[in-house]
Amino acid sequence: MSVVKLSVAPQDTTEKLPGDFEAFFAQEFRRRFRVPRKLPLSVVMGAPPCDSVGARCVGGYLDVSAVAYLTAHYDGKLSDIQVVDATLTPDLADSVRTALETMSRQGLGPTMDVDTMALIVRVEADPNPDTVPEIRHVFLAKVPHYNLPFRYASMPASGVEPRYPFGARLAGVGDSVAIAFTVDAEGRIATESLELMRATYGDFVISVVNALQRTRYHPARLGDCPVSTRMSQRFLFDVPRE
């Protein structure tokens, strides 16, 4: 059994939440969250021990996770709610979105001293329920583990080749784009799973997303079977030299 927990953090890592913010948020979220009747899980993650680069592991387990980006307001309202379906369980993503929208309509987000704060809300499984404070528990799930060798998805030999944005090239600016995504069992990137983790300029993000959607990965494998898996990747754009 795994506990599916909730965590809340500012998108800007230099900001801090008020002392009881996360606990209060979790309490109101849990009261409005409805556990889907069925959660058909398909995304496999590696179970340790893994090799030195973390690409191959001795086993694997099915994962369940959704990530929400939103803006919290001083009066308890929530806006700009966007939910990433990280593990391709749309019923879970819909339940997370509905709970957050209900909290917003009722003005039940925790109050703050600042006008607004951009937040990341994660609903994800933790295989060690004893380490998770009870206030952050959302629900319990039976998550299968497999004693079969697991190998994460890998890029094609040609790599992923995002184009350098023309305007950025003219302006002489570069960027570093970090993005997380789910590769399905066919080796394709699931669009609904894309999660931007770090970037400065939107043009670079668009270039990376377009390149990912054109690319076919070698899918992950659990034993001999191709499976979906969650990955992250960093793309560095160095300023072109004349």
Side-chain angles (χ1 to χ4, degrees):
M1 295 295 293
S2 294
V3 62
V4 178
K5 65 182 181 181
L6 180 140
S7 60
V8 184
Q11 292 184 34
D12 183 347
T13 56
T14 65
E15 296 182 328
K16 290 186 177 181
L17 295 176
D20 294 330
F21 188 98
E22 187 176 47
F24 185 87
F25 194 104
Q27 175 180 289
E28 297 300 332
F29 177 88
R30 186 168 53 186
R31 288 175 176 171
R32 286 149 189 86
F33 178 81
R34 295 293 178 265
V35 180
R37 292 183 178 180
K38 293 183 179 180
L39 282 178
L41 304 180
S42 63
V43 174
V44 181
M45 303 296 290
C50 303
D51 62 19
S52 59
V53 295
R56 298 170 184 263
C57 303
V58 297
Y61 63 93
L62 289 172
D63 196 17
V64 52
S65 174
V67 184
Y69 288 80
L70 55 90
T71 300
H73 299 261
Y74 73 96
D75 59 357
K77 298 290 186 180
L78 309 174
S79 65
D80 306 321
I81 300 169
Q82 298 181 13
V83 179
V84 176
D85 186 2
T87 53
L88 309 185
T89 46
D91 286 350
L92 173 65
D94 288 345
S95 290
V96 169
R97 183 182 296 104
T98 298
L100 293 172
E101 290 173 347
T102 302
M103 287 176 62
S104 180
R105 285 196 301 271
Q106 298 175 354
L108 291 173
T111 56
M112 306 179 299
D113 294 333
V114 297
D115 289 341
T116 62
M117 184 180 293
L119 302 177
I120 304 174
V121 177
R122 296 185 181 276
V123 177
E124 56 192 352
D126 191 316
N128 301 304
D130 293 341
T131 67
V132 182
E134 188 173 350
I135 190 63
R136 291 172 57 193
H137 288 205
V138 180
F139 64 96
L140 290 174
K142 187 177 291 185
V143 180
H145 284 60
Y146 303 94
N147 294 320
L148 293 169
F150 174 75
R151 183 174 72 244
Y152 277 96
S154 59
M155 288 190 298
S158 59
V160 181
E161 299 181 353
R163 297 185 179 94
Y164 208 109
F166 181 71
R169 185 183 296 275
L170 289 178
V173 297
D175 202 358
S176 175
V177 177
I179 194 164
F181 50 89
T182 299
V183 182
D184 69 18
E186 301 294 326
R188 298 185 180 92
I189 305 300
T191 303
E192 66 273 24
S193 74
L194 289 165
E195 178 188 358
L196 179 62
M197 304 177 74
R198 185 178 65 254
T200 304
Y201 301 107
D203 285 352
F204 290 99
V205 177
I206 292 171
S207 178
V208 168
V209 170
N210 288 340
L212 286 171
Q213 291 178 333
R214 293 193 303 267
T215 303
R216 184 73 67 88
Y217 278 66
H218 299 295
R221 288 190 174 272
L222 181 65
D224 293 329
C225 298
V227 293
S228 303
T229 196
R230 186 82 175 156
M231 300 180 64
S232 61
Q233 197 164 337
R234 179 171 171 262
F235 298 86
L236 182 62
F237 295 84
D238 288 324
V239 178
R241 296 182 179 180
E242 297 296 337

